[in-house]
Amino acid sequence: MAAVLELLINRRDRLIAGVRRPKPIVHTPIVHAEITFLREHEGGRKFLPIMGIEAKYRPHLVIQDRTVRKSVIESDGLIRESYLGVQFNNEIKEFESVSGEWTRRYELSLMYHSRVDYSAVLPRATFTVREGGKIVGHGIVLKRFQPDTEKDGEPGDARESPS
């Protein structure tokens, strides 16, 4: 099992190494977040998500306390929590995790911003990471970068929201 995990991590690192990622689309808000993924025995993932050109990880965030571990299911069997679709762009490598190898910093795109209200996704907001109704992680927003709407900019230009 450990050998399989090491093989997948090495594959992920090879995909990331030497690959120049395109800058994010200028019209999409970007956030930097510190996220802890839950391990499988905690109800989370078997492996960390793999980032790369071909691999797109697109879970949902629910703005709420980080300690929540169960979805709120109404009496009619539906989940009515506010799911916010995001795309993980990449891992922020400059960060050294002190709380475990499953805590990392990531750059996320708020990919449905023109149709979904992401106003709660602000610095210091806490959230859970969802794959369907399953909570696989939790985190905190560190920074938010708004698209630069005041002037024409190069792709990727954005201004940081005040924290």
Side-chain angles (χ1 to χ4, degrees):
M1 182 61 130
V4 172
L5 178 59
E6 186 174 347
L7 179 68
L8 288 171
I9 290 171
N10 288 338
R11 180 173 175 252
R12 179 196 69 196
D13 290 343
R14 279 195 317 273
L15 284 171
I16 293 171
V19 175
R20 186 178 178 118
R21 295 192 188 319
K23 290 185 178 183
I25 300 169
V26 70
H27 302 294
T28 304
I30 301 291
V31 296
H32 288 178
E34 184 173 301
I35 300 171
T36 300
F37 283 97
L38 301 174
R39 295 177 185 264
E40 188 174 30
H41 69 274
E42 300 171 299
R45 297 178 56 88
K46 196 173 217 173
F47 304 106
L48 285 171
I50 296 174
M51 307 291 157
I53 296 297
E54 296 175 16
K56 301 284 188 221
Y57 182 54
R58 294 179 175 164
H60 290 90
L61 305 183
V62 174
I63 303 297
Q64 63 187 165
D65 190 272
R66 295 175 74 147
T67 61
V68 173
R69 293 295 178 265
K70 297 234 182 246
S71 297
V72 177
I73 301 174
E74 301 291 332
S75 60
D76 59 4
L78 296 177
I79 297 173
R80 291 198 174 82
E81 296 169 301
S82 183
Y83 277 49
L84 302 170
V86 297
Q87 175 178 298
F88 278 55
N89 294 333
N90 55 34
E91 185 178 333
I92 301 169
K93 290 288 189 183
E94 298 80 41
F95 173 66
E96 288 294 326
S97 174
V98 291
S99 51
E101 62 187 72
W102 283 53
T103 298
R104 309 244 171 120
R105 288 189 180 174
Y106 296 96
E107 177 185 278
L108 312 172
S109 292
L110 306 181
M111 53 195 240
Y112 302 114
H113 74 281
S114 61
R115 298 179 302 246
V116 174
D117 180 12
Y118 287 99
S119 62
V121 184
L122 295 171
R124 294 186 297 280
T126 59
F127 57 86
T128 55
V129 180
R130 307 292 182 94
E131 292 177 1
K134 183 178 177 181
I135 297 175
V136 297
H138 56 87
I140 185 166
V141 176
L142 302 172
K143 295 180 182 177
R144 179 171 172 157
F145 301 91
Q146 289 299 113
D148 190 350
T149 56
E150 296 174 3
K151 63 178 178 60
D152 292 332
E154 293 298 315
D157 283 357
R159 53 188 161 76
E160 188 175 341
S161 292
S163 18

mmCIF file with all atom_site columns, all heavy atoms in Angstrom, residues 39-52:
data_model
loop_
_atom_site.group_PDB
_atom_site.id
_atom_site.type_symbol
_atom_site.label_atom_id
_atom_site.label_alt_id
_atom_site.label_comp_id
_atom_site.label_asym_id
_atom_site.label_entity_id
_atom_site.label_seq_id
_atom_site.pdbx_PDB_ins_code
_atom_site.Cartn_x
_atom_site.Cartn_y
_atom_site.Cartn_z
_atom_site.occupancy
_atom_site.B_iso_or_equiv
_atom_site.pdbx_formal_charge
_atom_site.auth_seq_id
_atom_site.auth_comp_id
_atom_site.auth_asym_id
_atom_site.auth_atom_id
_atom_site.pdbx_PDB_model_num
ATOM 1   N N   . ARG A 1 39 ? -7.854  11.884 6.104   1.00 0.00 ? 39 ARG A N   1
ATOM 2   C CA  . ARG A 1 39 ? -7.418  10.569 5.631   1.00 0.00 ? 39 ARG A CA  1
ATOM 3   C C   . ARG A 1 39 ? -8.619  9.626  5.559   1.00 0.00 ? 39 ARG A C   1
ATOM 4   O O   . ARG A 1 39 ? -9.670  9.888  6.128   1.00 0.00 ? 39 ARG A O   1
ATOM 5   C CB  . ARG A 1 39 ? -6.346  10.016 6.551   1.00 0.00 ? 39 ARG A CB  1
ATOM 6   C CG  . ARG A 1 39 ? -5.087  10.862 6.509   1.00 0.00 ? 39 ARG A CG  1
ATOM 7   C CD  . ARG A 1 39 ? -4.079  10.322 7.496   1.00 0.00 ? 39 ARG A CD  1
ATOM 8   N NE  . ARG A 1 39 ? -2.914  11.179 7.554   1.00 0.00 ? 39 ARG A NE  1
ATOM 9   C CZ  . ARG A 1 39 ? -1.799  10.965 6.852   1.00 0.00 ? 39 ARG A CZ  1
ATOM 10  N NH1 . ARG A 1 39 ? -1.703  9.936  6.055   1.00 0.00 ? 39 ARG A NH1 1
ATOM 11  N NH2 . ARG A 1 39 ? -0.773  11.784 6.971   1.00 0.00 ? 39 ARG A NH2 1
ATOM 12  N N   . GLU A 1 40 ? -8.432  8.536  4.868   1.00 0.00 ? 40 GLU A N   1
ATOM 13  C CA  . GLU A 1 40 ? -9.521  7.588  4.639   1.00 0.00 ? 40 GLU A CA  1
ATOM 14  C C   . GLU A 1 40 ? -10.153 7.091  5.940   1.00 0.00 ? 40 GLU A C   1
ATOM 15  O O   . GLU A 1 40 ? -11.375 7.013  6.060   1.00 0.00 ? 40 GLU A O   1
ATOM 16  C CB  . GLU A 1 40 ? -9.001  6.408  3.810   1.00 0.00 ? 40 GLU A CB  1
ATOM 17  C CG  . GLU A 1 40 ? -10.087 5.481  3.357   1.00 0.00 ? 40 GLU A CG  1
ATOM 18  C CD  . GLU A 1 40 ? -9.565  4.402  2.424   1.00 0.00 ? 40 GLU A CD  1
ATOM 19  O OE1 . GLU A 1 40 ? -8.392  4.001  2.556   1.00 0.00 ? 40 GLU A OE1 1
ATOM 20  O OE2 . GLU A 1 40 ? -10.349 3.962  1.568   1.00 0.00 ? 40 GLU A OE2 1
ATOM 21  N N   . HIS A 1 41 ? -9.367  6.809  6.958   1.00 0.00 ? 41 HIS A N   1
ATOM 22  C CA  . HIS A 1 41 ? -9.915  6.318  8.229   1.00 0.00 ? 41 HIS A CA  1
ATOM 23  C C   . HIS A 1 41 ? -10.697 7.396  8.981   1.00 0.00 ? 41 HIS A C   1
ATOM 24  O O   . HIS A 1 41 ? -11.429 7.093  9.919   1.00 0.00 ? 41 HIS A O   1
ATOM 25  C CB  . HIS A 1 41 ? -8.815  5.716  9.119   1.00 0.00 ? 41 HIS A CB  1
ATOM 26  C CG  . HIS A 1 41 ? -7.840  6.714  9.664   1.00 0.00 ? 41 HIS A CG  1
ATOM 27  N ND1 . HIS A 1 41 ? -6.726  7.114  8.956   1.00 0.00 ? 41 HIS A ND1 1
ATOM 28  C CD2 . HIS A 1 41 ? -7.829  7.399  10.831  1.00 0.00 ? 41 HIS A CD2 1
ATOM 29  C CE1 . HIS A 1 41 ? -6.064  8.000  9.674   1.00 0.00 ? 41 HIS A CE1 1
ATOM 30  N NE2 . HIS A 1 41 ? -6.705  8.197  10.814  1.00 0.00 ? 41 HIS A NE2 1
ATOM 31  N N   . GLU A 1 42 ? -10.557 8.672  8.554   1.00 0.00 ? 42 GLU A N   1
ATOM 32  C CA  . GLU A 1 42 ? -11.324 9.777  9.135   1.00 0.00 ? 42 GLU A CA  1
ATOM 33  C C   . GLU A 1 42 ? -12.559 10.094 8.292   1.00 0.00 ? 42 GLU A C   1
ATOM 34  O O   . GLU A 1 42 ? -13.252 11.061 8.548   1.00 0.00 ? 42 GLU A O   1
ATOM 35  C CB  . GLU A 1 42 ? -10.459 11.039 9.211   1.00 0.00 ? 42 GLU A CB  1
ATOM 36  C CG  . GLU A 1 42 ? -9.203  10.890 10.053  1.00 0.00 ? 42 GLU A CG  1
ATOM 37  C CD  . GLU A 1 42 ? -8.277  12.082 9.919   1.00 0.00 ? 42 GLU A CD  1
ATOM 38  O OE1 . GLU A 1 42 ? -7.802  12.349 8.794   1.00 0.00 ? 42 GLU A OE1 1
ATOM 39  O OE2 . GLU A 1 42 ? -8.045  12.752 10.940  1.00 0.00 ? 42 GLU A OE2 1
ATOM 40  N N   . GLY A 1 43 ? -12.782 9.291  7.249   1.00 0.00 ? 43 GLY A N   1
ATOM 41  C CA  . GLY A 1 43 ? -13.913 9.516  6.356   1.00 0.00 ? 43 GLY A CA  1
ATOM 42  C C   . GLY A 1 43 ? -13.549 10.298 5.109   1.00 0.00 ? 43 GLY A C   1
ATOM 43  O O   . GLY A 1 43 ? -14.417 10.670 4.329   1.00 0.00 ? 43 GLY A O   1
ATOM 44  N N   . GLY A 1 44 ? -12.263 10.563 4.908   1.00 0.00 ? 44 GLY A N   1
ATOM 45  C CA  . GLY A 1 44 ? -11.805 11.379 3.784   1.00 0.00 ? 44 GLY A CA  1
ATOM 46  C C   . GLY A 1 44 ? -11.272 10.570 2.615   1.00 0.00 ? 44 GLY A C   1
ATOM 47  O O   . GLY A 1 44 ? -11.814 9.531  2.257   1.00 0.00 ? 44 GLY A O   1
ATOM 48  N N   . ARG A 1 45 ? -10.163 11.040 2.064   1.00 0.00 ? 45 ARG A N   1
ATOM 49  C CA  . ARG A 1 45 ? -9.586  10.487 0.835   1.00 0.00 ? 45 ARG A CA  1
ATOM 50  C C   . ARG A 1 45 ? -8.519  9.429  1.122   1.00 0.00 ? 45 ARG A C   1
ATOM 51  O O   . ARG A 1 45 ? -7.856  9.477  2.142   1.00 0.00 ? 45 ARG A O   1
ATOM 52  C CB  . ARG A 1 45 ? -8.962  11.608 0.015   1.00 0.00 ? 45 ARG A CB  1
ATOM 53  C CG  . ARG A 1 45 ? -9.950  12.642 -0.464  1.00 0.00 ? 45 ARG A CG  1
ATOM 54  C CD  . ARG A 1 45 ? -9.245  13.750 -1.227  1.00 0.00 ? 45 ARG A CD  1
ATOM 55  N NE  . ARG A 1 45 ? -8.458  13.225 -2.333  1.00 0.00 ? 45 ARG A NE  1
ATOM 56  C CZ  . ARG A 1 45 ? -8.926  13.017 -3.565  1.00 0.00 ? 45 ARG A CZ  1
ATOM 57  N NH1 . ARG A 1 45 ? -10.171 13.290 -3.848  1.00 0.00 ? 45 ARG A NH1 1
ATOM 58  N NH2 . ARG A 1 45 ? -8.141  12.549 -4.511  1.00 0.00 ? 45 ARG A NH2 1
ATOM 59  N N   . LYS A 1 46 ? -8.346  8.555  0.136   1.00 0.00 ? 46 LYS A N   1
ATOM 60  C CA  . LYS A 1 46 ? -7.287  7.555  0.208   1.00 0.00 ? 46 LYS A CA  1
ATOM 61  C C   . LYS A 1 46 ? -5.938  8.204  -0.117  1.00 0.00 ? 46 LYS A C   1
ATOM 62  O O   . LYS A 1 46 ? -4.918  7.875  0.474   1.00 0.00 ? 46 LYS A O   1
ATOM 63  C CB  . LYS A 1 46 ? -7.583  6.437  -0.784  1.00 0.00 ? 46 LYS A CB  1
ATOM 64  C CG  . LYS A 1 46 ? -6.817  5.183  -0.560  1.00 0.00 ? 46 LYS A CG  1
ATOM 65  C CD  . LYS A 1 46 ? -7.317  4.096  -1.487  1.00 0.00 ? 46 LYS A CD  1
ATOM 66  C CE  . LYS A 1 46 ? -7.294  2.772  -0.784  1.00 0.00 ? 46 LYS A CE  1
ATOM 67  N NZ  . LYS A 1 46 ? -7.905  1.716  -1.559  1.00 0.00 ? 46 LYS A NZ  1
ATOM 68  N N   . PHE A 1 47 ? -5.951  9.150  -1.094  1.00 0.00 ? 47 PHE A N   1
ATOM 69  C CA  . PHE A 1 47 ? -4.743  9.848  -1.527  1.00 0.00 ? 47 PHE A CA  1
ATOM 70  C C   . PHE A 1 47 ? -5.041  11.334 -1.650  1.00 0.00 ? 47 PHE A C   1
ATOM 71  O O   . PHE A 1 47 ? -6.196  11.720 -1.852  1.00 0.00 ? 47 PHE A O   1
ATOM 72  C CB  . PHE A 1 47 ? -4.285  9.345  -2.906  1.00 0.00 ? 47 PHE A CB  1
ATOM 73  C CG  . PHE A 1 47 ? -4.062  7.868  -2.965  1.00 0.00 ? 47 PHE A CG  1
ATOM 74  C CD1 . PHE A 1 47 ? -4.960  7.046  -3.616  1.00 0.00 ? 47 PHE A CD1 1
ATOM 75  C CD2 . PHE A 1 47 ? -2.954  7.286  -2.367  1.00 0.00 ? 47 PHE A CD2 1
ATOM 76  C CE1 . PHE A 1 47 ? -4.772  5.674  -3.678  1.00 0.00 ? 47 PHE A CE1 1
ATOM 77  C CE2 . PHE A 1 47 ? -2.757  5.924  -2.412  1.00 0.00 ? 47 PHE A CE2 1
ATOM 78  C CZ  . PHE A 1 47 ? -3.661  5.112  -3.078  1.00 0.00 ? 47 PHE A CZ  1
ATOM 79  N N   . LEU A 1 48 ? -4.003  12.149 -1.578  1.00 0.00 ? 48 LEU A N   1
ATOM 80  C CA  . LEU A 1 48 ? -4.166  13.576 -1.862  1.00 0.00 ? 48 LEU A CA  1
ATOM 81  C C   . LEU A 1 48 ? -4.545  13.744 -3.325  1.00 0.00 ? 48 LEU A C   1
ATOM 82  O O   . LEU A 1 48 ? -4.172  12.915 -4.166  1.00 0.00 ? 48 LEU A O   1
ATOM 83  C CB  . LEU A 1 48 ? -2.855  14.321 -1.600  1.00 0.00 ? 48 LEU A CB  1
ATOM 84  C CG  . LEU A 1 48 ? -2.486  14.546 -0.138  1.00 0.00 ? 48 LEU A CG  1
ATOM 85  C CD1 . LEU A 1 48 ? -1.068  15.086 -0.033  1.00 0.00 ? 48 LEU A CD1 1
ATOM 86  C CD2 . LEU A 1 48 ? -3.460  15.493 0.521   1.00 0.00 ? 48 LEU A CD2 1
ATOM 87  N N   . PRO A 1 49 ? -5.291  14.810 -3.672  1.00 0.00 ? 49 PRO A N   1
ATOM 88  C CA  . PRO A 1 49 ? -5.612  15.019 -5.086  1.00 0.00 ? 49 PRO A CA  1
ATOM 89  C C   . PRO A 1 49 ? -4.333  15.244 -5.898  1.00 0.00 ? 49 PRO A C   1
ATOM 90  O O   . PRO A 1 49 ? -3.385  15.851 -5.412  1.00 0.00 ? 49 PRO A O   1
ATOM 91  C CB  . PRO A 1 49 ? -6.479  16.278 -5.092  1.00 0.00 ? 49 PRO A CB  1
ATOM 92  C CG  . PRO A 1 49 ? -6.564  16.755 -3.704  1.00 0.00 ? 49 PRO A CG  1
ATOM 93  C CD  . PRO A 1 49 ? -5.835  15.820 -2.810  1.00 0.00 ? 49 PRO A CD  1
ATOM 94  N N   . ILE A 1 50 ? -4.341  14.733 -7.119  1.00 0.00 ? 50 ILE A N   1
ATOM 95  C CA  . ILE A 1 50 ? -3.191  14.891 -8.004  1.00 0.00 ? 50 ILE A CA  1
ATOM 96  C C   . ILE A 1 50 ? -3.420  16.135 -8.861  1.00 0.00 ? 50 ILE A C   1
ATOM 97  O O   . ILE A 1 50 ? -4.463  16.288 -9.493  1.00 0.00 ? 50 ILE A O   1
ATOM 98  C CB  . ILE A 1 50 ? -3.010  13.642 -8.885  1.00 0.00 ? 50 ILE A CB  1
ATOM 99  C CG1 . ILE A 1 50 ? -2.677  12.453 -7.991  1.00 0.00 ? 50 ILE A CG1 1
ATOM 100 C CG2 . ILE A 1 50 ? -1.922  13.863 -9.927  1.00 0.00 ? 50 ILE A CG2 1
ATOM 101 C CD1 . ILE A 1 50 ? -2.606  11.124 -8.717  1.00 0.00 ? 50 ILE A CD1 1
ATOM 102 N N   . MET A 1 51 ? -2.447  17.043 -8.851  1.00 0.00 ? 51 MET A N   1
ATOM 103 C CA  . MET A 1 51 ? -2.525  18.271 -9.641  1.00 0.00 ? 51 MET A CA  1
ATOM 104 C C   . MET A 1 51 ? -1.674  18.096 -10.893 1.00 0.00 ? 51 MET A C   1
ATOM 105 O O   . MET A 1 51 ? -0.657  17.431 -10.862 1.00 0.00 ? 51 MET A O   1
ATOM 106 C CB  . MET A 1 51 ? -1.970  19.465 -8.856  1.00 0.00 ? 51 MET A CB  1
ATOM 107 C CG  . MET A 1 51 ? -2.549  19.682 -7.512  1.00 0.00 ? 51 MET A CG  1
ATOM 108 S SD  . MET A 1 51 ? -4.237  20.220 -7.615  1.00 0.00 ? 51 MET A SD  1
ATOM 109 C CE  . MET A 1 51 ? -4.788  19.703 -6.019  1.00 0.00 ? 51 MET A CE  1
ATOM 110 N N   . GLY A 1 52 ? -2.077  18.721 -11.954 1.00 0.00 ? 52 GLY A N   1
ATOM 111 C CA  . GLY A 1 52 ? -1.300  18.672 -13.174 1.00 0.00 ? 52 GLY A CA  1
ATOM 112 C C   . GLY A 1 52 ? -2.102  19.182 -14.340 1.00 0.00 ? 52 GLY A C   1
ATOM 113 O O   . GLY A 1 52 ? -3.278  19.540 -14.212 1.00 0.00 ? 52 GLY A O   1
#
